[in-house]
Amino acid sequence: MDPRNKEPLCEDVLPVVIIGNGPSGICLSYLLSGYTPYLSPEGFHPNPVLHSKLTQNPHLSLFEQDLEYLCEGVEGRSSNPVAVLFDSLLLPDSDFGLDYASPLEWRYEPERATPHLVLGKGPPGGAWHAMEGSMLTLSLANWMELPGLKLKDWMREKRRNVRNDRATPAEIASYYQHYVRQMGLERSFACGTTVTSVRRGSLRSGRSVWNVQGLQRRAAEGEQQTDAEIPFSVWAENVVLATGTHDIPARLGVEGETLPFVCHSFWELEAAISSGHLDQASEPILVVGAGLTAADAILAAHHLNTPVYHAFRRSVADPALIFNQLPKLLYPEYHKVHQMMSQQQRQPGESPADMVSQRLSSPRDERASSPCSYPGYLSFPKHRVVAFRPDGKCVLEGEGGRQTVLQVSMALVLIGAHPNLSFLPEQGRPLSLEPHEPISCRRNPVDVDPYTYESVKEAGLYAMGPLVGENFVRFLKGGALAIVCDLARKQTMRGQKNVQESSAGHSLSCQLSNCTLDA
């Protein structure tokens, strides 16, 4: 779809504009395009209470049912009830390793389709195209798929095998692109677009709607021409924020964080390795953070035999640590990092440099207090970075205020990211749970109604995916269901209102035509 054709002051208003073309935006587009879920005639759900509720109105689509009623009593690994419900319907009891068939069947009903526009900076798939392509995804392959196209079936057609029931980001990105083509969604996607402004505005009629403005990259004609950015402006009754939260790396806010050797993305580590600036002869690198991206950086450096210092603020045994939530058999590489964090902690009174050099020379060093299974690695639990210095030194502070100075070749601060919502007033902060803090997936998501995903602060503005705390593809699909159900409800209410107004107008017309004016 070409957004340039929408004139700023025209009455042509789209029902929905979706900002973000990752899996959130793709799934929502699928549901808005007329693909409708019903309880299959032979469908069975292992949860007897949920199954009983579904069979009460088998003739109704899921879009027409009371989601809050269906959500009651359904439990899962998400704090958003509709996300748990839809995940349970698509992948029943998957958390227990069971492979029940979904009780849903999908029918294509074009009369239900809602015109919409999906805006994204790159090709469909969003941030998956920017991820390191050879590592395995955290989620199981079937958790990454979208309704209507099983990822394993698609991969078999491509003559690929899913390793350990997981796929690579490159494979997932390719799957999402294929999904958009396969499902006929391309006409609703405008790729190469950057949204610069989302504001309330009024049409000539006085109607209040959303005005979405931005730039779209266009291939210029001629060999010597460079791509041009063409301004666009569209009007929409509803706007859905589906941008994800990987745009702006989070920072520590400490002295020296802008120094050249301090980096904030995994890709900078890859670039240093590819260019030869980092190898086994380099000074140790410092990895700050205890998430999966930090673990990926440790694994990459460990594979290169580059020594690693690893600093993080939690205890290794903290239940909130992601490694303590992952099954060991399913995620062996992350279990390996967790073992490293636990077994090779910096010991009081020992020099970090000596410990790392000892462990590089021998996997079982007699001078070490315990066997060293992972040479060249040293962890610093319950430590925070105090400062970075121009000479490549990093100052850490542990419990009790004790400081440690480390000499490093590179520091990687991998502590999460914030979404780029610069197109919204005040970066979108007024929409969040804590309006004075930046929006973040874990600490400060967008404040939405749990059953509609509509902002509690702005009517007609929705958010889904990481912006409301859903980092896993398997759960973000629930947001798409909630939004489509709410839009369908609004459409029904609008239709009833129009019928009532039409009926009232007809009655008034009849009364006027039958009355006479006294002389």
Side-chain angles (χ1 to χ4, degrees):
M1 183 178 289
D2 186 353
R4 294 181 300 167
N5 296 330
K6 308 297 181 185
E7 294 298 329
L9 296 177
C10 73
E11 295 292 314
D12 188 6
V13 179
L14 279 169
V16 184
V17 167
I18 304 166
I19 302 175
N21 65 356
S24 294
I26 295 172
C27 186
L28 180 55
S29 176
Y30 176 76
L31 300 188
L32 288 172
S33 297
Y35 294 95
T36 309
Y38 287 84
L39 176 66
S40 171
E42 62 277 1
F44 169 79
H45 197 281
N47 182 325
V49 176
L50 179 57
H51 181 75
S52 176
K53 291 179 180 179
L54 291 169
T55 56
Q56 290 173 8
N57 296 291
H59 62 289
L60 295 180
S61 74
L62 205 55
F63 298 157
E64 300 162 289
Q65 303 211 29
D66 184 343
L67 294 185
E68 186 170 357
Y69 172 64
L70 293 179
C71 286
E72 292 174 356
V74 182
E75 298 180 349
R77 294 194 300 160
S78 170
S79 59
N80 293 317
V82 181
V84 174
L85 170 68
F86 203 31
D87 177 69
S88 178
L89 291 172
L90 294 171
L91 300 166
D93 281 354
S94 60
D95 281 334
F96 301 103
L98 302 177
D99 192 22
Y100 285 112
S102 171
L104 300 180
E105 67 174 11
W106 291 86
R107 304 176 192 172
Y108 179 56
E109 299 176 337
E111 67 276 9
R112 288 184 183 269
T114 300
H116 61 281
L117 179 64
V118 185
L119 304 175
K121 295 179 181 179
W128 286 95
H129 291 280
M131 295 182 186
E132 203 283 316
S134 61
M135 290 186 175
L136 295 178
T137 61
L138 173 63
S139 297
L140 294 172
N142 64 333
W143 292 359
M144 309 297 296
E145 68 191 22
L146 298 179
L149 180 62
K150 289 193 172 297
L151 188 139
K152 287 185 178 181
D153 293 344
W154 172 79
M155 293 185 73
R156 275 194 289 268
E157 290 179 2
K158 296 293 181 181
R159 298 181 181 179
R160 300 172 183 170
N161 292 319
V162 180
R163 291 180 284 168
N164 195 27
D165 286 329
R166 292 158 68 194
T168 67
E171 290 165 341
I172 297 300
S174 180
Y175 164 79
Y176 290 144
Q177 277 191 282
H178 175 81
Y179 183 92
V180 170
R181 293 192 298 268
Q182 178 77 14
M183 300 302 174
L185 309 180
E186 287 179 298
R187 61 183 176 273
S188 297
F189 279 67
C191 299
T193 56
T194 300
V195 175
T196 57
S197 173
V198 175
R199 300 288 191 278
R200 277 284 184 188
S202 296
L203 301 176
R204 289 172 177 169
S205 63
R207 181 182 173 190
S208 177
V209 291
W210 294 100
N211 181 219
V212 181
Q213 298 183 9
L215 301 170
Q216 184 176 33
R217 291 194 308 275
R218 288 281 170 171
E221 299 179 358
E223 296 182 359
Q224 304 299 322
Q225 300 284 341
T226 57
D227 290 354
E229 289 190 324
I230 309 299
F232 69 85
S233 176
V234 296
W235 294 90
E237 291 181 14
N238 303 281
V239 170
V240 180
L241 304 177
T243 60
T245 61
H246 299 286
D247 295 312
I248 305 173
R251 293 179 172 265
L252 296 168
V254 301
E255 178 187 348
E257 196 169 2
T258 59
L259 290 168
F261 73 93
V262 182
C263 304
H264 294 83
S265 73
F266 181 84
W267 327 120
E268 291 173 279
L269 173 64
E270 284 192 315
I273 293 173
S274 300
S275 64
H277 290 155
L278 198 65
D279 56 32
Q280 64 183 28
S282 302
E283 293 279 2
I285 67 169
L286 171 67
V287 176
V288 181
L292 299 178
T293 305
D296 289 339
I298 291 166
L299 291 170
H302 189 68
H303 180 73
L304 194 67
N305 290 326
T306 299
V308 177
Y309 295 131
H310 184 197
F312 45 97
R313 302 188 68 166
R314 297 183 183 273
S315 161
V316 176
D318 191 325
L321 205 66
I322 184 64
F323 305 103
N324 292 318
Q325 304 172 25
L326 301 178
K328 296 178 183 179
L329 293 179
L330 193 56
Y331 305 101
E333 72 277 35
Y334 292 130
H335 177 58
K336 173 182 176 180
V337 173
H338 193 223
Q339 281 186 319
M340 296 164 71
M341 295 164 64
S342 177
Q343 296 177 8
Q344 297 186 196
Q345 301 180 30
R346 188 268 177 93
Q347 300 299 320
E350 292 184 291
S351 165
D354 289 343
M355 291 178 71
V356 168
S357 63
Q358 289 171 10
R359 293 177 183 186
L360 272 175
S361 62
S362 172
R364 189 181 182 93
D365 197 311
E366 295 180 356
R367 292 170 291 178
S369 58
S370 62
C372 180
S373 303
Y374 306 105
Y377 171 89
L378 189 61
S379 72
F380 292 81
K382 297 185 177 180
H383 278 67
R384 66 184 185 92
V385 177
V386 175
F388 298 102
R389 296 176 180 170
D391 57 359
K393 288 185 171 62
C394 305
V395 183
L396 304 183
E397 184 175 278
E399 289 186 307
R402 178 169 180 168
Q403 293 191 346
T404 302
V405 180
L406 305 175
Q407 180 69 51
V408 303
S409 58
M410 173 185 248
L412 284 163
V413 179
L414 303 173
I415 56 173
H418 300 293
N420 181 2
L421 299 176
S422 58
F423 52 84
L424 291 172
E426 299 181 55
Q427 303 280 333
R429 291 186 182 189
L431 303 174
S432 66
L433 291 171
E434 297 293 339
H436 302 294
E437 299 293 329
I439 292 175
S440 67
C441 176
R442 292 185 178 179
R443 298 181 180 86
N444 192 33
V446 175
D447 190 7
V448 296
D449 182 288
Y451 298 102
T452 67
Y453 284 60
E454 185 175 25
S455 167
V456 299
K457 311 287 178 61
E458 283 282 0
L461 185 66
Y462 296 80
M464 62 183 299
L467 291 175
V468 296
E470 298 296 1
N471 263 331
F472 293 100
V473 173
R474 61 179 289 198
F475 291 121
L476 63 79
K477 291 175 278 192
L481 173 65
I483 292 170
V484 172
C485 287
D486 193 52
L487 293 175
R489 179 188 60 81
K490 287 182 177 179
Q491 181 64 31
T492 300
M493 292 177 61
R494 188 179 300 113
Q496 292 174 346
K497 180 180 179 182
N498 291 339
V499 169
Q500 292 171 353
E501 290 177 349
S502 175
S503 176
H506 177 70
S507 175
L508 179 61
S509 175
C510 291
Q511 292 177 34
L512 289 174
S513 64
N514 291 329
C515 72
T516 58
L517 295 176
D518 293 331

